[in-house]
Amino acid sequence: MNLLRPGLVGTTLCTVLALAGCSQSGDQAQAPQQAQAPADDSAQKLDTYRQLVRIGNDEMAVTMGKEIVSRYPNSDAAKEVQQSLPGIEQRYKENSEKNRLAGLWLYQVSPMQGGTQSTATITNSQASPDDRVNLILRRHTDWGQNVFLYNTGGRHGFVCKGVCSIKATFDGKPGSISAFAPSTGEPALLFKDDKGFIAQMEKAKKITMDVTMQDGEKKITLVYEVGGFDPAKWQPVSKQAKKK
């Protein structure tokens, strides 16, 4: 009869159990290393976050900070990041908006009909190609200072007989602007009180103006986000000396 001897069965069973024990102990030995890896990674990312904050790179600091908080929410790194991240993110948003508004303005100095002109120009927001109307602040060596609207989207000007009143708002507060069309037929509206308008504009973030275009007498509301205007970039020009 082929019966296994009791001693052999015992030896085999012990061998199997021993192998199982080795495998379990090996897995348990590796587990702490696998659990430790994210903690080490978060520490490295925290060091990068600190450096970004130190050099003032708010955009990258916000990105790295959010990654740390999202991937390692219970880590010491996340706790440290959460102390400074809200303030940095707020500052980044404010500076981004400030830069966006500043970028809406174009400042130029160029020759103009025998003289020199300095302009500050902004285009109405969210305008279609046919409704692009520039708001232009201009200083000219011969003509002095003026402010006007100029339709760059088409050849047609504005409906305005004599002196007309443009319904406007300054940060939601109602107002009006007296204007007139140039006798030269250009698609423009010149403001009568340029100094008064500029004074109001410098205090505002957003201005709206309701105008009627000659093309089909289409009524449109022009929106200008003027909060990024920098008076220092609108250069003065010296009046030309008259030739004898």
Side-chain angles (χ1 to χ4, degrees):
M1 295 178 66
N2 294 327
L3 297 176
L4 294 175
R5 291 177 293 172
L8 182 58
V9 172
T11 302
T12 303
L13 182 59
C14 289
T15 302
V16 172
L17 292 174
L19 289 173
C22 290
S23 176
Q24 291 175 357
S25 62
D27 291 343
Q28 292 173 352
Q30 292 177 1
Q33 295 179 359
Q34 294 174 351
Q36 188 66 24
D40 291 343
D41 194 24
S42 71
Q44 294 173 4
K45 291 183 180 298
L46 176 61
D47 183 59
T48 301
Y49 172 80
R50 289 168 175 166
Q51 293 181 41
L52 292 169
V53 173
R54 188 161 52 248
I55 65 176
N57 190 333
D58 289 347
E59 181 178 7
M60 293 300 297
V62 168
T63 300
M64 180 61 69
K66 286 185 175 180
E67 181 181 349
I68 293 171
V69 172
S70 175
R71 292 185 61 183
Y72 316 100
N74 299 318
S75 66
D76 290 339
K79 293 178 182 178
E80 179 177 328
V81 167
Q82 286 171 328
Q83 296 298 314
S84 57
L85 182 59
I88 295 172
E89 186 173 11
Q90 180 64 26
R91 182 176 65 201
Y92 170 63
K93 289 180 178 179
E94 290 175 354
N95 288 335
S96 296
E97 178 64 4
K98 182 179 178 180
N99 292 335
R100 184 188 73 82
L101 293 173
L104 298 178
W105 285 92
L106 175 64
Y107 305 89
Q108 291 181 311
V109 177
S110 60
M112 180 64 177
Q113 293 189 0
T116 301
Q117 71 173 7
S118 172
T119 57
T121 304
I122 186 172
T123 302
N124 53 315
S125 301
Q126 300 177 344
S128 66
D130 294 334
D131 294 333
R132 289 174 62 86
V133 178
N134 287 344
L135 170 63
I136 303 174
L137 284 58
R138 180 175 65 186
R139 289 172 175 148
H140 191 277
T141 49
D142 288 339
W143 309 332
Q145 175 179 289
N146 49 53
V147 178
F148 57 96
L149 298 174
Y150 191 89
N151 179 20
T152 65
R155 294 173 296 176
H156 300 283
F158 304 85
V159 175
C160 180
K161 296 179 181 180
V163 176
C164 55
S165 180
I166 301 173
K167 182 180 178 181
T169 66
F170 296 83
D171 289 339
K173 297 179 181 179
S176 63
I177 302 168
S178 293
F180 62 94
S183 58
T184 53
E186 294 174 315
L189 275 180
L190 282 77
F191 297 178
K192 288 187 67 65
D193 184 9
D194 55 276
K195 292 182 180 178
F197 174 81
I198 292 172
Q200 285 184 286
M201 187 197 73
E202 289 182 323
K203 299 175 183 177
K205 294 181 179 179
K206 182 183 291 185
I207 298 174
T208 69
M209 303 180 203
D210 294 338
V211 297
T212 303
M213 312 302 296
Q214 288 179 351
D215 186 11
E217 295 196 358
K218 180 172 60 175
K219 299 181 183 298
I220 61 174
T221 297
L222 305 174
V223 180
Y224 297 98
E225 297 180 87
V226 296
F229 175 65
D230 186 350
K233 292 183 179 180
W234 184 28
Q235 297 182 25
V237 291
S238 300
K239 189 173 183 178
Q240 291 182 333
K242 294 183 179 180
K243 296 181 179 180
K244 296 181 179 180

